[in-house]
Amino acid sequence: MSRLDQVKEDCQRVAEAIAAALGVEVEVIDLDLVRVAGTGKVRNDVGSRLLRGLVNKHVLRTSQPIFIKEAGYHPICMSCPLTGSCFYKASIVYPIIAGQTVIGTISLIAFSEEQKITLCSRTESLMQFIGRMADLVAAKVLEIEALREKMIMASQVNAVMDAVDEGVIAINSDGIVTHFNLSAERMFNIPRKEILHQPLENYLTGLPLLSALRQPGGFTSRECFVQARGRRLHLLVTARPIMGSDGRPVGVVASARDFKETQKLAYEIMSAQKVFTFDDIIGESRAIKELKARAAKIAGSHSTVLITGESGTGKEIFARAIHAASPRRNKPFVAINCGAIPETLLESELFGYEEGAFTGARKGGKPGKFELANHGTIFLDEIGNMSLYLQAKLLRVLQERQVERVGGNRLIPVDIRIIAATNSNLEEMIARGRFREDLYYRLSVIPLYIPPLRERPEDIKLLLEYYREHYNNLLGKKIRGYTPRAEKACLAYSWPGNVRELINAVEYAVNLEEGELIDLGSLPRPVQEGSSRMTAVPTREGRWLTLEQMEREAIIGALNHFGWNEKGKIKAARALGISRATIYRKIAKYNLFSSSPRKETFTRDH
């Protein structure tokens, strides 16, 4: 179909109007020399192709109008077999140009002497007139094509919108619904044909789309509770204003997601992390075997677990293994370190917050870790560092299985298993008034104690071999084992940082060792030097030191060795198998300071 054929009815009306006004005949020809419109003698030939059409071909080729005063005698007509006997008397042929392209011609034709006189006497004005008519036809073609293009684009947009899983809704500045995709139909249970071109508020309440007209950029992931035909929907909504040509908003387009589906996506992301099972816990000592067996038994329960043990013993790995062996294994495992986050932030991290709860609170609010862990397991590490205020809120969660967001007033039910862990002596903290006794009993329904590495020396060699092979593969090394003196030093060392310190030590040694066996000189200095200060002085005046006293003296010994400046503290933390944040917290906890503040100890970093 030619471009002019799209508007053939319009062309016919234009031709008939011109013919009636001027008293001459009119025809419209497309690029294929097919008559699209015609009047008078050529009216019955509309739809047929010109047999010769030499003049029309010339105009189509040159894009210039032409006046044929004597049809059949013009130079263009010389090759025509009808030369001297053409049934046309005279004609004005004008190109129809759409944009920059010739798409056909429009002609004024004289079949009688009277019509010829009309064309000859008013040639110039008729040329201008027919030129305007050609522009009118071209404009109609462009309009039809633009409309068709818009319809195609609209169909494409609708197809894309219907392919989206999220509910998509668009309104104009008056709140009238202009778009409503298939997902929105399913989400709100409202047929598209029913809600289109109707006020949004008549069907959905609680969906703040009109407010996006007044907010630059709209809003992102705002939590909304929407009423739709008697149902209350919990949604996350993102809305953006639609800007007009003058830069002012003319409407809003929004996408809505089911809040539970968003939680499910978060679960899937979190479940992508490495899964630890009891088989990943290395150890053949009786203590570890019994602990793994006990943990496997309680994994199927929903009861709260309290894991205690020194830093670096693997409390989180045990928590993950319990989760992996539980009926909640396909649900999220959410871990949070209560000692690494300031109290002001910890509350909002655990319980979430509502929009406007505090300065900087995200629009729409944010779910907390308890909500994200719904139907799964939440692991609260370093629970002993939680303030009494947050301990009270945690106790309420344990008792009622509901959370209340910061700045909110509604209770959100949660189905979670809580596993807590600490390296602190909670009973001693209770005696000092620093930990709630009722919370302690709520947490320690099933207590698990992980013994330190020095109490299970038979596991040390297994761990050394496992991590030597691990870092061999990771670093592209071919170290076959340890020299007798290196192995003896490792077995004699007390490992105050436990398994974490051992892992760091093996990685350190594999990096430094250039031979086939790890020698004593490639081990970290504390391991080379043997017993730490903590084990060198196990008693004081015949009394055993408490774990906190031993921890305090281990930190002092490491700091005296590496230095009390920032670099020294980082090295000390690494040697003790703890984080930099932990060593700073312990320094503050025990109120430690160098006995020789002006004389720091600087050592080579091995």
Side-chain angles (χ1 to χ4, degrees), residues 45 72 110 194 282 335 357 423 429 477 549 600:
D45 294 326
E194 182 179 335
I282 301 165
N423 57 14
M429 290 180 68
K477 293 289 192 83
Q549 288 171 329
E600 298 283 2

Side-chain angles (χ1 to χ4, degrees), residues 302-413:
H302 298 289
S303 300
T304 304
V305 179
L306 177 63
I307 304 176
T308 57
E310 294 179 12
S311 179
T313 50
K315 295 185 286 294
E316 182 170 345
I317 293 177
F318 264 93
R320 289 184 181 275
I322 291 170
H323 172 76
S326 76
R328 301 172 184 263
R329 65 179 68 86
N330 295 321
K331 297 299 181 180
F333 178 91
V334 179
I336 186 167
N337 189 323
C338 302
I341 304 174
E343 180 187 353
T344 52
L345 295 179
L346 182 60
E347 182 179 14
S348 61
E349 281 293 311
L350 286 172
F351 300 96
Y353 58 80
E354 297 288 359
E355 180 177 339
F358 48 83
T359 302
R362 193 177 71 179
K363 289 182 179 179
K366 178 184 175 183
K369 293 293 191 290
F370 283 114
E371 288 180 69
L372 292 176
N374 197 23
H375 303 298
T377 303
I378 187 167
F379 175 61
L380 304 175
D381 198 8
E382 296 194 33
I383 193 73
N385 294 89
M386 186 178 283
S387 69
L388 290 170
Y389 166 71
L390 290 182
Q391 289 178 34
K393 293 197 70 171
L394 175 59
L395 180 63
R396 183 176 178 182
V397 174
L398 285 164
Q399 290 173 335
E400 301 178 8
R401 299 293 165 172
Q402 294 177 323
V403 295
E404 183 179 326
R405 292 186 183 179
V406 177
N409 55 15
R410 61 187 175 90
L411 294 175
I412 303 169

Side-chain angles (χ1 to χ4, degrees), residues 38-230:
T39 63
K41 290 184 178 182
V42 295
R43 176 69 179 85
N44 294 331
D45 294 326
V46 171
S48 63
R49 190 176 187 277
L50 299 182
L51 296 177
R52 289 162 292 275
L54 298 177
V55 177
N56 286 281
K57 289 179 181 178
H58 174 80
V59 174
L60 290 172
R61 186 177 68 254
T62 64
S63 304
Q64 297 298 319
I66 191 170
F67 170 50
I68 305 295
K69 185 176 181 180
E70 295 290 342
Y73 296 96
H74 191 280
I76 296 173
C77 305
M78 290 299 100
S79 62
C80 179
L82 297 178
T83 299
S85 59
C86 183
F87 53 85
Y88 287 1
K89 297 294 183 181
S91 63
I92 296 174
V93 184
Y94 208 97
I96 302 173
I97 302 175
Q100 302 296 321
T101 305
V102 178
I103 62 173
T105 64
I106 183 169
S107 305
L108 298 180
I109 306 167
F111 287 104
S112 65
E113 288 298 327
E114 184 181 353
Q115 290 176 334
K116 180 178 180 181
I117 292 170
T118 299
L119 292 185
C120 293
S121 63
R122 300 168 56 190
T123 303
E124 187 175 343
S125 62
L126 290 177
M127 188 77 79
Q128 292 178 356
F129 175 76
I130 200 64
R132 291 193 180 95
M133 293 301 102
D135 291 342
L136 176 65
V137 172
K140 191 64 179 178
V141 170
L142 293 175
E143 179 187 341
I144 292 295
E145 290 177 344
L147 181 60
R148 179 172 289 125
E149 186 66 25
K150 287 181 179 179
M151 292 175 66
I152 292 172
M153 289 179 64
S155 297
Q156 291 173 337
V157 169
N158 286 332
V160 170
M161 287 175 59
D162 285 341
V164 173
D165 288 335
E166 299 178 2
V168 179
I169 308 163
I171 60 170
N172 62 20
S173 57
D174 296 321
I176 304 299
V177 178
T178 58
H179 289 83
F180 201 76
N181 74 342
L182 286 175
S183 293
E185 285 189 271
R186 290 190 292 266
M187 180 180 291
F188 300 108
N189 194 28
I190 299 173
R192 184 184 340 203
K193 62 182 180 181
E194 182 179 335
I195 196 172
L196 280 179
H197 314 302
Q198 299 296 321
L200 179 68
E201 288 296 320
N202 290 355
Y203 292 85
L204 302 173
T205 57
L207 200 57
L209 299 196
L210 283 174
S211 66
L213 288 170
R214 300 181 292 273
Q215 296 180 19
F219 54 80
T220 301
S221 297
R222 176 178 292 184
E223 191 175 2
C224 300
F225 291 90
V226 180
Q227 293 290 340
R229 292 190 164 173

Side-chain angles (χ1 to χ4, degrees), residues 300-540:
S301 164
H302 298 289
S303 300
T304 304
V305 179
L306 177 63
I307 304 176
T308 57
E310 294 179 12
S311 179
T313 50
K315 295 185 286 294
E316 182 170 345
I317 293 177
F318 264 93
R320 289 184 181 275
I322 291 170
H323 172 76
S326 76
R328 301 172 184 263
R329 65 179 68 86
N330 295 321
K331 297 299 181 180
F333 178 91
V334 179
I336 186 167
N337 189 323
C338 302
I341 304 174
E343 180 187 353
T344 52
L345 295 179
L346 182 60
E347 182 179 14
S348 61
E349 281 293 311
L350 286 172
F351 300 96
Y353 58 80
E354 297 288 359
E355 180 177 339
F358 48 83
T359 302
R362 193 177 71 179
K363 289 182 179 179
K366 178 184 175 183
K369 293 293 191 290
F370 283 114
E371 288 180 69
L372 292 176
N374 197 23
H375 303 298
T377 303
I378 187 167
F379 175 61
L380 304 175
D381 198 8
E382 296 194 33
I383 193 73
N385 294 89
M386 186 178 283
S387 69
L388 290 170
Y389 166 71
L390 290 182
Q391 289 178 34
K393 293 197 70 171
L394 175 59
L395 180 63
R396 183 176 178 182
V397 174
L398 285 164
Q399 290 173 335
E400 301 178 8
R401 299 293 165 172
Q402 294 177 323
V403 295
E404 183 179 326
R405 292 186 183 179
V406 177
N409 55 15
R410 61 187 175 90
L411 294 175
I412 303 169
V414 288
D415 171 23
I416 51 174
R417 182 182 200 174
I418 295 177
I419 300 179
T422 184
N423 57 14
S424 303
N425 187 332
L426 294 184
E427 293 178 346
E428 185 178 320
M429 290 180 68
I430 292 170
R432 295 180 182 179
R434 290 166 52 191
F435 201 86
R436 293 181 63 107
E437 186 174 13
D438 48 3
L439 176 60
Y440 172 73
Y441 290 119
R442 280 280 183 178
L443 290 173
S444 60
V445 175
I446 301 178
L448 291 177
Y449 169 71
I450 304 178
L453 203 52
R454 62 181 174 275
E455 292 181 10
R456 46 188 178 100
E458 56 267 56
D459 291 336
I460 294 175
K461 192 168 183 179
L462 282 174
L463 290 163
L464 288 172
E465 287 300 316
Y466 177 86
Y467 285 105
R468 174 189 61 78
E469 188 62 30
H470 172 77
Y471 287 112
N472 260 346
N473 295 331
L474 193 65
L475 301 173
K477 293 289 192 83
K478 294 182 179 180
I479 296 172
R480 295 187 293 105
Y482 300 81
T483 63
R485 61 177 187 166
E487 184 176 305
K488 182 179 179 181
C490 289
L491 293 174
Y493 185 56
S494 61
W495 300 107
N498 292 293
V499 179
R500 186 185 295 122
E501 183 187 6
L502 184 144
I503 294 170
N504 292 342
V506 176
E507 181 181 7
Y508 180 93
V510 173
N511 269 288
L512 263 65
E513 186 57 61
E514 296 179 353
E516 291 186 345
L517 298 174
I518 292 175
D519 199 6
L520 183 64
S522 296
L523 294 171
R525 182 171 293 181
V527 182
Q528 292 182 40
E529 293 176 351
S531 299
S532 67
R533 179 174 175 175
M534 184 174 68
T535 55
V537 190
T539 63
R540 182 180 293 161

